[in-house]
Amino acid sequence: MVSRVSIQTADFDLAAEVAALRAGDPGVGAVASFVGTVRDRNDGSAVSDMELEHYPGMTERAIESMIDEAMRRFAIRAARVVHRVGPLRVGEQIVLVAVTSAHRGQAFQACEFLMDYLKTQAPFWKKETTPGGARWVDARVADDAALARWGISAGNA
Amino acid sequence: MKVRVRYFASLREALGASETVELPAGSTLGTLRDTLAARGGRHAEVLARGRAVRSALDQVMSDESVPLHDGAEAAFFPPVTGG
C-alpha cells in the first residue's frame, strides 16, 4: 500500500506516482492528476525562486483528513498527495494530487476538491524572491471561494 | 497551565519558532493571543486584532474560541499559501 501523503524536499515523478497508485487495482478506470509548478510571475513581479515552509506533523494530519473527506464524498478508489517544501526554482514542481476511480467524473471532482481544500487548509507558506527582495505570498480570497463551492467555509484569506 | 506556542512564516521571523507560556485555567486560543499581544513590541505588532492571524490547537486548525489545556500545543501563523 502506497502512503497517501508525502511532504518532501525531493522532486516527484508523475508517471511513477500514478503507476504506483493504480498498481494492483483492476477496478480503476480513471486517473485524474494535478501538478502545481513555480510560476515566473506573481502579483505583478518577476519571481526567480521561492522557499516553502510548513508545520511538520500538522501538515500530514491535515491532508490525511482531507483525503478521508474526499473518500466519503466521492466514489474514488485511492488518492495520493505529494507536496514539496524548502527551496524551489521557477519551473519546478510543487504539488501533486492524483486520484483513481472507476469513471472519470468522480476522479476529476475529487482531484479538484482536494486541491481546493489543500490551498486554504494545509499549513504551508510560500516566500518568493523578486527583484525587490523576498516577500511572503498573500492568501487569495478566490481560493476561499473555490472551497466554498464544496460547501466548506475556509476563513483563510 | 503551561502551553507551548509555535509560530510560522512571518510570525516566526518576528517572534521566533516557539515559546512556553503560563496561563490561567479557562484560557482560550483567543485569550492566549491577547495575552501575548499585551506584552507590546513585536508581539503586539504581529498579533494585534485586525491582523490576519490563523491558529491551531494540537495541530488542528482551530478558531480562537477553543479552550486550551495544560500541555497544549498552540500555533499562530498567517493565512496559508500552499499548493
Side-chain angles (χ1 to χ4, degrees):
Chain A
M1 171 100 192
V2 181
S3 82
R4 302 196 304 179
V5 179
S6 296
I7 310 300
Q8 60 191 46
T9 54
D11 198 9
F12 54 83
D13 179 333
L14 171 62
E17 292 290 347
V18 167
L21 197 62
R22 294 172 56 195
D25 185 355
V28 171
V31 181
S33 64
F34 172 87
V35 174
T37 58
V38 182
R39 212 171 43 246
D40 67 353
R41 289 195 74 78
N42 192 38
D43 282 339
S45 293
V47 173
S48 56
D49 53 83
M50 66 167 57
E51 177 90 24
L52 250 152
E53 178 172 340
H54 78 304
Y55 186 163
M58 178 174 164
T59 314
E60 291 84 347
R61 289 175 57 169
I63 298 172
E64 285 284 351
S65 73
M66 291 171 202
I67 294 175
D68 288 342
E69 182 60 24
M71 304 289 267
R72 277 192 291 274
R73 288 180 178 231
F74 307 102
I76 58 175
R77 304 183 70 87
R80 168 97 170 123
V81 175
V82 181
H83 204 300
R84 295 177 68 194
V85 293
L88 293 170
R89 312 254 334 147
V90 164
E92 285 199 77
Q93 303 187 115
I94 306 173
V95 60
L96 164 72
V97 174
V99 178
T100 62
S101 62
H103 304 286
R104 69 184 184 285
Q106 295 290 291
F108 274 130
Q109 283 196 59
C111 189
E112 188 163 30
F113 171 82
L114 282 168
M115 222 24 241
D116 287 346
Y117 213 161
L118 188 152
K119 288 291 285 187
T120 61
Q121 304 298 310
F124 293 101
W125 300 272
K126 288 179 181 142
K127 190 175 198 179
E128 58 191 14
T129 306
T130 71
R135 64 181 186 190
W136 291 99
V137 172
D138 285 331
R140 294 169 194 278
V141 173
D143 288 329
D144 281 17
L147 188 62
R149 294 180 302 155
W150 303 101
I152 299 173
S153 171
N156 182 56
Chain B
M1 60 183 172
K2 268 198 168 65
V3 173
R4 183 176 180 217
V5 188
R6 301 181 68 176
Y7 303 107
F8 292 91
S10 53
L11 274 70
R12 174 186 52 73
E13 288 179 338
L15 306 177
S18 73
E19 59 185 308
T20 302
V21 179
E22 184 76 42
L23 289 166
S27 297
T28 63
L29 276 171
T31 55
L32 168 60
R33 177 176 173 182
D34 291 337
T35 300
L36 292 164
R39 289 181 184 170
R42 285 184 165 182
H43 281 83
E45 190 185 319
V46 300
L47 293 168
R49 295 284 154 198
R51 296 295 294 259
V53 174
R54 303 293 167 244
S55 49
L57 175 60
D58 295 330
Q59 303 195 356
V60 176
M61 251 352 144
S62 302
D63 70 48
E64 293 188 4
S65 64
V66 175
L68 299 169
H69 59 87
D70 189 46
E73 179 176 310
F76 294 105
F77 40 80
V80 303
T81 54

